[in-house]
Amino acid sequence: MPQTFHRSTNTLSKLSIFGALFLIVGSLFALAEVNRSGYVTQAGIAREQPVPFSHQHHVGGMGVDCRYCHTSVETSATAGIPPTKTCMNCHSQIWNQSPTLEPVRASFRTGQSIEWTRVHDLPDFAYFNHSAHVNKGVGCTTCHGPVDRMPLMWQYASLQMEWCLDCHRNPEKYVRPKEEVFSVAWQPPADQLEQGRALVKAYNIQTRTSCSTCHR
Amino acid sequence: MSEVPAVRVDLKGVRRRLDGTQGRTYWRSLEELAQTPEFLEFLHREFPSQASELDDPSGRREFLTVMGASLALAGLVGCTKQPEEKIVPYVQPPEQVIPGKPLFYATAMLDGGYAKGILVESHLGRPTKIEGNPDHPASLGATDAAGQAWVLGLYDPDRSQTLTYRGEIRAWSEFLAAMRNALAVQKPRQGVGLRILTETVTSPTLAAQIQSVLAEYPSAKWHQWEPCGGGGAAMAAAVGHPMSAQYRFELADVVLSLDADFVMDGPASLRHAREYTARRKRPVEAPMNRLYVVEPTPSPTGLIADHRLPLRPSEIEGFARAVSTALGGASAAPRGSAGAGSAAAFAAAVAKDLAAHPGRSLVIAGDYQPAAVHAVAHEINQRLGNVGQTVVYGPAVEARPVDPYASLAELAADMKAGRVELLVVLDSNPAYTAPADLDFVAAMDRVKLRVHSGLYQDETAAVSHWHVPGAHALEAWGDARAFDGTATIMQPLIAPLYDAARSPLEVLAALSSRPDRRAHDIVKDFWRTQLGADADRRWARALHDGIVAGWNGAAGGLQTATTTTTNTTTTTATTTPTATTTNGSPGGLEILFRPDPTIGDGRYANLGWLQELPKPVTKLTWDNAALIAPLTAQRLGLANSDVVELRYRGRTVKAPVWTMPGQPEDTVTVHLGYGRTRGGRVADGAGFDASAIRTSDAPWWGSGLDVQRTGETRLLACGQDHWSIDHEATERHVLRSVTLDEYTKEPAVVEEQGEVPSRDMTLYPNYKFGPHAWGMSIDLNSCVGCNACVIACVAENNIPVVGREQVSRGREMHWLRVDRYYSGQPERPETVSAHFQPVPCMQCENAPCEQVCPVAATVHSDEGLNDQVYNRCIGTRYCQNNCPYKVRRFNFFLYQDWNTPTLKLQRNPDVSVRSRGVMEKCTYCVQRIEQARITAHNEAREIRDGEIQTACQSACPAEAIVFCDLNDPGSRVSRLKAQRRNYAMLAELNTRPRTTYLAEVRNPNPELAAEPGPEGGGHRG
């Protein structure tokens, strides 16, 4: 009986088996990368807001402290979205005729809240607490990125669990002195790991990775 | 009534089985003793067979089709991104509110008209959870099950939402106009046709308001109706004038309860439970008290007593007199048949023990006992010098103490005679609760204009012209007084959910010349007259503290019978009244009426939490039953679930039978509160209405009952065999109970009952734990079985209600259960005793559940918790199968109500709401642990001992549950665990549970224990 396939197909079949391995591994890798991409995580995508509030202008330009608006960041789980009253503290005096700010004035007039679009949205089964992090030397920009350069707010980090765990396992990579927590200009020093280790000790930071730390 | 086979238990087999055992025997049910197939099913399988089948109402095929479709859709849902969310900040931020941080407000809940102080947790304006107010004398920081479920009443979707006239929606102004017209007719006739019907009123403001209406209409009458009240009236009849009694259990060495379920029932029950159990926490170091209970039906107080004597209702008075006579009392010779046999010996022993503790003993008569028994109790206390010591009398707390049965009967007679033209019913539901002989609905029909105000469009609303939806007490201003007279100003936490809702104060204002006043103004104006010069500051203080300091009784003579002297002198005129003969002559079957232990007189019937809560003793859910002693049931040929017809005084009602160990022979107990017809979607269709055969002249018991089999059966959802531990109780010593004598002689008697393997006897490396090691200690000697912890857990942890049919399949979701074990011989009621054992997740260090989870959905935390990760769980239920304590609960279906808007408002935002197909269990309230940790770390300090209170712990009136850090040798829980009565359940499995128990220690009287009589433990062999 003559051979159905030429001998060279042996090589071809070996190659294709080998190639299939690569294909499978490659597609798994690609899937993981897609899952980490901004398409899924929404990181890096600026959101439309009812009022085009600019952190770049207020934080970077005017130098307003984070806590002027996000008042409960040191005491509560949520940092707090400022009430309309906070906007009107200044904007009843300046830019008080600006058409862009009409929704703010309307809200103040009618008592109807401004409906902001949420940018940082953790899943409901993750219980994040701002005060616990801020009081232990985790700076605002560590998670929220260069807020002073964001005209419209966008999500800086992936907010995925591996991202959380990266810091929860090795906090020394990210912690900074408490007095720098609200600084947008702070940059990690060259010996961050060394300084970080000292801070972890000084601040009694516990590397907690138990599930119930965040999931209840 | 469906066709279910009644479970027949062969008492002879039970007898043989008990005889074959040595030492103490504890059993969960008669079914266990008889080893019925149904029991073995619950024992050997986590769930009975086919528990996971959905066999109704749709067929299996249909189910698979639906499931297939939803699975496909579920897969699609997994691919979508998170939906966009909106953030809606305040416009003007309210003072004090910080998003993410709850606020607590002090107010009070009402129990039979009396206040029990509470603190209500509020998340951004939503009341979510109730805690006790530590500063309030009736709470001391604890709550009862009804108090915990009270918040659900606010969000009940079946609450009445609109003001109606003959069923049609009307405006408040139209109601006011109607009142104006009706009152204009009454005015010239002094209000002779006007009647106001309320429940028991302790509210000083409401009382003042009613007084002013009565002043304007002098011939009008005010009636009070409390379906399960009247205890005050009985005491008043006994001593000759209304008064209140306060009992100091912490001072009493010997207590005799004459049918008083004082740890569970009544406005001071929480305080009683705290003070009674305080004397049982350190049995050797601090002298233990001793409790004797004589009762006509098993109650938690009776079943945990050192000695319990079940007597038929007609025999209680005779027993009381026998004790009095033995103490040298002048009261008449024993009446009834209690003078014979074991009861006489019991009475003699009790009398001797009481006499040995003058001034340090206490006799307490139950609220459902007649004046004669109260008089005897009072006389004994006087004789022993207890008055002023363990019993303190004070002025009456109620605004106008009346006998509710006489009051309602008078109203019914007036209505029948056509003398009532305008009837205003405030927050009461007499059309359902009135005893049958008053024929209240027919009588009401003769009233020209009937007005009803209440939380529900209930039975009374149905026969009224006007119905004004009531405002829940969490959304309205008001006030009330506690058992000792302490006043609380009740403040709202939220504006009424429904615009039409009005508080009783506002409805009553409609009868006044200023009909549009709001409750806040009414309450504040009243208290301004009471608080003197510094009124505003004291008002603010009172709101903050939850009690009005320095006020005890209204100025201006609102109170009747204000006997100002508090202690000894008030009461020597005890011409011990003889028993009324209205209960019928003794003999034959006797019937006993009681409020239901979970839903009370029916006012909580629509609260699913309480319906699904197992009754403390029977463990029945969603139903009431006719409780019959096993031997009596056998004689009558009855078994559990048989439906019988109860014929009593010419009226009949159909009721399922429940054989009740410890029930006296020839006595049938029925509970009120069930059989609602317009109670709401939860209440309707559950149980039977016992008040259909109740009469107002003998509201609590009577003889002449006839029981007839009907041949029907009704499925009763009873949880007593669910989650049974294969204890063969004696062999594995799941429950440990010793006597004080044994424990004093040999403190090792508890730990000797089981071996504890060494720490290294495991294949796995020992865990290294972090800075804290959380642990819990549960004192079985303090637990009174009240179930407050179970509902506290439900409220805190968003635990769903599954319904009666699902409960009968063993799918209840409660994370914490209270196991009730009987001991003694079922056919001898006087030997039956019970032991309560709360069982949460044990948080094992060598947790069997963790090793079998294929997806690591249950894992160990660094501080020793078994974390359950809902998002990882794929529902294999291996963990549940491997849990020896049977504390894991599986969401077979979507039990959570995800649609009803009001119920969403109640949920605790700090705990995930679980969906179907997910395993869940007790977390040690990890959300509270993490919150305390964050607070402590933010303040740069360590967590303090006692700073974390689990929900069950904070609710417990007896302080039986203590939780904290085992790494701290000085912590309260560490010190408790150092007691020699500490033991771990099933320790021989080497699970190393973090939750351990303190064994029960009973303090029997040697004189009685020597006889084979009513001793709790039941020594044999």
Side-chain angles (χ1 to χ4, degrees), chain B residues 594-612:
Chain B
R594 283 294 149 99
D596 187 84
T598 56
I599 62 164
D601 57 18
R603 72 185 65 204
Y604 301 130
N606 206 44
L607 302 185
W609 292 355
L610 292 177
Q611 287 279 10
E612 197 151 299

Side-chain angles (χ1 to χ4, degrees), chain A residues 39-40 42 47 72 74-78 80-86 107-108 111-119 121-125 127 129 131-132 135-136 161 204 206-208 210-213 215-216, chain B residues 81-93 98-101 771-772 856 859-863 865 867-872 908-913 923 926-927 930-931 933-934 937-938 940-942:
Chain A
Y39 176 74
V40 172
Q42 303 282 302
R47 301 293 179 92
S72 56
E74 289 171 293
T75 50
S76 172
T78 73
I81 297 297
T84 313
K85 176 76 175 59
T86 307
S107 160
F108 202 61
Q112 289 289 315
S113 300
I114 306 170
E115 286 197 11
W116 301 96
T117 301
R118 193 173 194 118
V119 178
D121 191 4
L122 281 181
D124 291 350
F125 53 84
Y127 289 84
N129 191 305
S131 71
N135 286 306
K136 294 268 183 182
M161 197 165 107
N204 186 23
Q206 295 159 6
T207 52
R208 303 204 64 233
S210 293
C211 304
S212 57
T213 309
H215 304 296
R216 291 152 208 172
Chain B
K81 293 179 206 160
Q82 279 200 93
E84 194 177 86
E85 274 184 32
K86 296 288 180 192
I87 302 180
V88 189
Y90 286 108
V91 175
Q92 299 267 11
I98 300 172
K101 297 212 114 175
H772 303 286
V859 288
H860 222 68
S861 90
D862 55 346
E863 297 178 343
L865 305 184
D867 287 346
Q868 177 70 26
V869 192
Y870 307 125
N871 281 68
R872 283 184 184 167
N908 183 354
D910 297 330
V911 177
S912 301
V913 178
T923 63
V926 65
Q927 66 280 6
E930 294 303 329
Q931 190 52 55
R933 184 202 317 279
I934 290 167
H937 282 210
N938 285 355
R941 59 172 175 84
E942 286 304 316

Side-chain angles (χ1 to χ4, degrees), chain B residues 800-812:
Chain B
V801 172
V802 301
R804 142 193 239 283
E805 195 265 346
Q806 296 285 310
V807 172
S808 70
R809 285 156 188 268
R811 294 179 192 160
E812 59 269 36

Side-chain angles (χ1 to χ4, degrees), chain A residues 158-175:
Chain A
S158 74
L159 299 189
Q160 286 178 326
M161 197 165 107
E162 62 175 8
W163 170 80
C164 301
L165 283 173
D166 183 29
C167 186
H168 268 239
R169 286 182 178 135
N170 307 300
E172 65 276 4
K173 278 160 63 179
Y174 301 99
V175 288

Side-chain angles (χ1 to χ4, degrees), chain B residues 17 30-40 43-44 728:
Chain B
R17 202 175 142 71
L30 295 169
E31 286 76 12
E32 178 188 354
L33 282 177
Q35 296 281 296
T36 61
E38 291 80 7
F39 173 76
L40 293 175
L43 179 63
H44 293 311
E728 283 290 353

Side-chain angles (χ1 to χ4, degrees), chain B residues 131 141 924-925 928 946-955 959 963 972:
Chain B
E131 305 284 353
Y924 267 177
C925 283
R928 294 187 176 204
E947 187 173 354
I948 307 169
Q949 292 218 328
T950 60
C952 50
Q953 174 185 13
S954 73
E959 294 186 313
F963 169 88
R972 208 168 140 216

Side-chain angles (χ1 to χ4, degrees), chain B residues 379-555:
Chain B
E379 187 244 335
I380 299 175
N381 281 330
Q382 286 268 21
R383 179 177 302 281
L384 293 171
N386 295 335
V387 178
Q389 301 291 321
T390 56
V391 192
V392 178
Y393 295 114
V397 171
E398 290 169 29
R400 191 164 81 184
V402 295
D403 177 1
Y405 307 98
S407 186
L408 192 72
E410 187 194 345
L411 173 63
D414 277 359
M415 292 196 299
K416 269 181 209 149
R419 288 193 286 269
V420 184
E421 288 148 25
L422 171 58
L423 173 68
V424 180
V425 182
L426 288 179
D427 258 354
S428 181
N429 185 13
Y432 164 72
T433 52
D437 62 326
L438 297 182
D439 214 359
F440 199 84
V441 173
M444 245 179 113
D445 208 35
R446 305 207 48 190
V447 179
K448 214 187 291 167
L449 189 60
R450 313 183 280 272
V451 178
H452 171 254
S453 167
L455 281 182
Y456 298 93
Q457 277 271 7
D458 55 18
E459 291 84 348
T460 307
V463 292
S464 299
H465 298 112
W466 287 93
H467 167 76
V468 183
H472 192 273
L474 288 175
E475 49 182 33
W477 288 89
D479 54 9
R481 298 177 75 188
F483 73 101
D484 67 347
T486 308
T488 297
I489 297 170
M490 296 158 70
Q491 55 180 330
L493 277 96
I494 188 170
L497 296 182
Y498 312 110
D499 288 341
R502 291 290 185 282
S503 83
L505 295 172
E506 289 165 337
V507 176
L508 209 58
L511 305 183
S512 74
S513 53
R514 295 157 72 193
D516 253 335
R517 288 174 85 204
R518 299 314 300 251
H520 172 264
D521 303 334
I522 299 170
V523 175
K524 189 149 191 191
D525 286 353
F526 172 81
W527 282 102
R528 226 175 242 138
T529 67
Q530 300 292 319
L531 293 177
D534 208 7
D536 280 346
R537 198 190 54 82
R538 287 182 71 192
W539 165 268
R541 186 86 226 159
L543 287 185
H544 175 270
D545 293 349
I547 51 173
V548 185
W551 183 91
N552 197 16

